[in-house]
Amino acid sequence: MKKILYIIADLLIAALLAGAYVIQYFAKRKLGMNRWIVFKISKVKEALPVDMLRYLAVAAVLILAVLLVIVYVKRRKTYQKIVFPMVIMTVLLAVFYLIFTLYFSQEIIRSYYLALPLIGLANVVQLLKTFAAMKWCRGGQS
C-alpha cells in the first residue's frame, strides 16, 4: 500500500512539474496562449495580493523543509535508507522553488504566475510524501 502511495505521489509531482513546463512552452510558442495568460494574470493581480502570497508560500515551504531536515538529522539512525534520498529530493525541490520564485518574474517567464502554484504544489506533495515516509519507515519496519 505504501509503495502505491509513493508511486501516486511521484506521478503527481511529475505531472505538476510537467504542467508548469507545458504552460511555459505554449506561452512562448502560441500568441493566443500568451495573451490569455497576460489577461488572466492581470485579473488575478487586481483581486489578490499576489506578491505577498508568493513570499508566504516560499516561507511555508522553506520552514517545512528545514523542519524536515531537523527531524531527519535528530533521528536518522532510526530511519531506513529509503528516507535519505526522499529528504535530499525534498530539499532540492524546495531550493528550486525558492530560486524560481526569487530570481524569475513575469517579464522573464511569461507564465510565471501560473507555473508558480504548480511548482509549489509539487513541493507540498513531496513534503507530505517524505513526512509520511519518515513516519512509516522506522527501524525494521518497511
Side-chain angles (χ1 to χ4, degrees), residues 57-107:
V58 167
V61 166
L62 287 179
I63 288 170
L64 288 173
V66 168
L67 178 67
L68 178 90
V69 170
I70 290 170
V71 170
Y72 178 77
V73 168
K74 283 186 176 179
R75 301 179 187 157
R76 70 177 169 262
K77 301 278 187 206
T78 63
Y79 297 125
Q80 292 179 356
K81 292 181 181 180
I82 194 168
V83 176
F84 181 69
M86 288 184 187
V87 171
I88 294 298
M89 191 61 189
T90 303
V91 169
L92 290 176
L93 202 55
V95 168
F96 171 71
Y97 184 56
L98 173 72
I99 291 171
F100 185 83
T101 302
L102 298 179
Y103 181 71
F104 294 110
S105 66
Q106 190 176 9
E107 290 78 28

Side-chain angles (χ1 to χ4, degrees), residues 121-140:
L121 192 56
N123 263 299
V124 170
V125 171
Q126 179 67 33
L127 280 161
L128 290 174
K129 181 182 97 170
T130 307
F131 275 120
M134 290 172 75
K135 181 177 170 74
W136 290 337
C137 297
R138 290 186 177 237

Side-chain angles (χ1 to χ4, degrees), residues 44-60:
V44 169
K45 278 186 172 181
E46 290 174 5
L48 296 172
V50 175
D51 288 330
M52 184 181 73
L53 290 176
R54 74 179 179 159
Y55 291 124
L56 285 174
V58 167

Side-chain angles (χ1 to χ4, degrees), residues 105-124:
S105 66
Q106 190 176 9
E107 290 78 28
I108 298 171
I109 295 180
R110 181 60 63 189
S111 65
Y112 175 75
Y113 288 112
L114 294 177
L116 201 59
L118 294 176
I119 297 169
L121 192 56
N123 263 299
V124 170

